[in-house]
Amino acid sequence: MPEGQPAPSNGSLPKQALSELKHRPLGIYIHVPFCTTRCGYCDFNTYTAAKLGPEPGASRAGYVEAAIQELDLAARVLGPQLPPISTIFVGGGTPTVLPPDDLGRLIAAVGDRFGLEEDAEVTTESNPESIDATGLKRLRQLGFNRISFGMQSVVPHVLATLDRMHSPGRPQQAIAEAKAAGFANTSLDLIYGTPGESTDDWRASLDAAVAASPEHISAYALIVEEGTRLAARIRRGELRAPDDDDLADKYLIADERLAAVGYTAYEVSNWSTSTATRCRHNLGYWRSDHWWGIGPGAHSHVGGVRWWNVKHPRAYASRLAEGLSPAYAREVLSAAQRRIERIMLELRIADGLTTSLLTSSEQDRLADLHNRGLVAPEDGRLILTRSGRLLTDGVIRDLLD
Ligand SMILES: C[S@@+](CC[C@H](N)C(=O)[O-])C[C@H]1O[C@@H](n2cnc3c(N)ncnc32)[C@H](O)[C@@H]1O
Ligand code: SF4
């Protein structure tokens, strides 16, 4: 976790940051730090029941109470002059290891304290094995209108390498059940570049995801995270590390396949069937909007102040029980840092970046990036081409002063 500066124990924010609240959408992220098993590639802040044990304050049963205490703190800190909440995103971990009614209490608690926009987007992530048709109906009744399932792959040997157990076809069936329950906005996550995955394997996963007709698909290049079982197996030589050329080929295969059936990339790793089915909550991150992250290890941003909570569920619950903010540390970004962040994030989205954000020397570099086919300037905005999306980090490096 980054070190940052100490965060005030009452969670307070500088007046200047608060004064920006009325100008941009406000989202709430709620982190649910529990999973049934830990997938071998994943280093998210999540804990199995065996890892947590019966420790007071750290249990699944007590989690919703602690999260609601943090919502109370957020309401006190942000004050009454707030725009209603535009988006809620319950992520994890696996939120749906909690009973649907617990997740519903969290949504109701947000609505009671802040009010929701009439067409607020309310998402939960889910592992397809952790929910059934009845649970999905209940989530819909409780106010969720978007659901995103982790699918990763459809190929048994790829799923086995990822330590990922799905009964065959379960993710696709979960999409059908979600649609039947009234979710008009569904999504699947895929991972490409797993050791041993052939190009045909990747095509098979894309075909299966497309056949389920979700409104949204995320496809992520496998990242080998330090400290995971996957990283240890690669270090021991049991598995080969993902290869950059293979990842690039698979990205292009995904973009071509998805484009052919009507999905447009609205961010480097995210495709949707229309503007209306883009993930508004995640767009808020890329547009430097405001969000309060509830839960252990959650990150927040308001008006150039970023802060992040203590990671362990026990530490999180005990800070709140003592009436203290669970923030571990924070950073107050300078105007120069905010400009660079905006460039790095806005360049990732299909709407692109306003070129007026660039200095004159940065603007001078655009012609070269354009000649190399990496960016397409359009009406005062700078948009990455398909090849540019493959090399996003390099484009940003070449562009910035
Ligand atoms: C919180 S999980 C989604 C919900 C649920 N926990 C599940 O896995 O089904 C978010 C997504 O992050 C992606 N992810 C996690 N670790 C990754 C890694 N090391 N490399 C690439 N993608 C990763 C996976 O696609 C996963 O579905
Ligand atoms: S990928 Fe999802 S289910 Fe697997 S450990 Fe990570 S958060 Fe849990």
Side-chain angles (χ1 to χ4, degrees), residues 311-323:
K311 262 185 105 168
H312 199 280
R314 186 182 53 245
Y316 173 77
S318 70
R319 292 275 273 257
L320 285 159
E322 286 168 48

Side-chain angles (χ1 to χ4, degrees), residues 5 303-305 331-342:
Q5 310 160 358
V305 182
E331 59 186 351
V332 181
L333 300 177
S334 66
Q337 286 170 317
R338 289 181 82 177
R339 186 189 78 91
I340 288 177
E341 278 218 349
R342 274 192 64 185

Side-chain angles (χ1 to χ4, degrees), residues 111-130:
D112 291 348
R113 281 153 189 79
F114 301 97
L116 296 183
E117 268 179 15
E118 210 175 290
D119 67 340
E121 176 191 271
V122 185
T123 304
T124 186
E125 287 187 326
S126 179
N127 181 320
E129 303 292 334
S130 65

Side-chain angles (χ1 to χ4, degrees), residues 347 349-353 355 374-378 381-385 388:
L347 204 51
I349 52 181
D351 296 344
L353 170 77
T355 38
L374 300 174
V375 298
E378 216 176 81
R381 303 193 76 79
L382 189 65
I383 292 163
L384 289 177
T385 60

Side-chain angles (χ1 to χ4, degrees), residues 9-10 25-26 63 73 84 129 137 167 179 214 261 264 273 279 305 340 357 361 385:
S9 61
N10 62 1
L26 174 62
Y63 175 68
L73 173 87
E129 303 292 334
K137 278 199 195 111
S167 38
K179 286 174 183 276
V261 288
T264 308
T273 49
C279 177
V305 182
I340 288 177
L357 266 182
S361 52
T385 60

Side-chain angles (χ1 to χ4, degrees), residues 41 44 92-94 125-127 150 152 164 189 191 220-223:
Y41 54 89
F44 284 39
T94 305
E125 287 187 326
S126 179
N127 181 320
Q152 323 313 351
R164 185 94 190 168
D189 290 342
I191 289 182
Y220 301 113
L222 178 67
I223 300 173

Side-chain angles (χ1 to χ4, degrees), residues 35 37-39 41-42 44 46 92-94 127 164:
C35 285
T37 56
R38 159 83 66 177
C39 307
Y41 54 89
C42 179
F44 284 39
T46 185
T94 305
N127 181 320
R164 185 94 190 168

Side-chain angles (χ1 to χ4, degrees), residues 38-43 224-233 235:
R38 159 83 66 177
C39 307
Y41 54 89
C42 179
D43 82 336
V224 181
E225 303 281 5
E226 267 316 302
T228 57
R229 275 200 303 281
L230 176 72
R233 293 181 68 192
R235 211 175 30 251

